[in-house]
Amino acid sequence: MTDSVLRTVVRRETHSPRTGAMLVIVVLLVLAAVYAAVEIALSLAGQPPLLLSPGAAADALATLPTAVVPAGLIAAGVVIAVVGLIVLVIAVAPGRLSRHEMAWDDRAVVVDNGVVASSIAQHLSSESGIARENVVVGVAHRTVDVTVRPPLGIPVDIDRLRAIVDDEVASYRLTPSVRTRVRVERPLDAGKENPR
């Protein structure tokens, strides 16, 4: 496989298509067109409109600048501009899947963030001696968040935990790169949990 084909495959596996957002916008536009067609057909048949006849809508649109205060027009314009900007951002910005590209020798492998989190948690548990159920790892697009909950009375060196996590994450060579955050949460003792 050539580098450009590999890059395309990796991009498709790590970015989500905008099909859902496009489908919602297309459905809304189709519903608006169907409603307009129904109103026009009812008007041509001499029937009462569902909401507003085409003639009344055209008259309301023609008198809008004089019927509405300028502040109302400005507010409506701002709302329409914000909606348009949101639609533009959805159309242009790439969606992200919960996956990362991992460099492995001279190949690229796409891995799910859950797999990365599980691997880090298992490695940290093995290296530190803290039980696996007391290590919680979350992997996001740019961060790895590690929470260690050791039992009461077990000493923990947070700098050592950070070094273990940083070394493990660095060995994965993830793209995009991530920064790590390690926290130690101690459980409350029984006297504080059940005050009398």
Side-chain angles (χ1 to χ4, degrees), residues 52 54-70 72-73:
L52 190 62
D59 290 342
L61 195 58
T63 60
L64 186 65
T66 56
V68 179
V69 294
L73 288 176

Side-chain angles (χ1 to χ4, degrees), residues 64-90:
L64 186 65
T66 56
V68 179
V69 294
L73 288 176
I74 291 171
V78 168
V79 168
I80 291 170
V82 167
V83 169
L85 185 62
I86 290 170
V87 170
L88 181 66
V89 167
I90 288 173

Side-chain angles (χ1 to χ4, degrees), residues 8-25 89-99:
T8 301
V9 169
V10 168
R11 179 162 175 77
R12 284 185 181 167
E13 290 297 319
T14 57
H15 290 75
S16 66
R18 292 302 190 172
T19 309
M22 183 191 71
L23 186 62
V24 168
I25 292 170
V89 167
I90 288 173
V92 175
R96 299 276 184 200
L97 294 174
S98 58
R99 298 177 185 155

Side-chain angles (χ1 to χ4, degrees), residues 25-43:
I25 292 170
V26 168
V27 166
L28 290 175
L29 290 174
V30 167
L31 288 175
V34 167
Y35 167 73
V38 167
E39 288 291 12
I40 290 170
L42 289 175
S43 176

Side-chain angles (χ1 to χ4, degrees), residues 128 130 154-164 182 184 186:
S128 67
I130 297 169
I154 303 296
V156 174
D157 182 2
I158 189 149
D159 292 330
R160 181 170 177 265
L161 295 180
R162 271 196 200 100
I164 292 170
V182 179
V184 175
R186 293 283 184 180

Side-chain angles (χ1 to χ4, degrees), residues 120-178:
I120 292 170
Q122 185 60 48
H123 180 76
L124 182 60
S125 173
S126 300
E127 290 292 317
S128 67
I130 297 169
R132 171 64 181 85
E133 60 268 13
N134 294 331
V135 178
V136 178
V137 179
V139 178
H141 182 61
R142 293 280 186 183
T143 58
V144 172
D145 187 24
V146 179
T147 304
V148 179
R149 297 183 180 111
L152 284 173
I154 303 296
V156 174
D157 182 2
I158 189 149
D159 292 330
R160 181 170 177 265
L161 295 180
R162 271 196 200 100
I164 292 170
V165 171
D166 288 342
D167 290 346
E168 184 68 4
V169 169
S171 73
Y172 295 160
R173 299 188 301 173
L174 297 176
T175 303
S177 61
V178 294

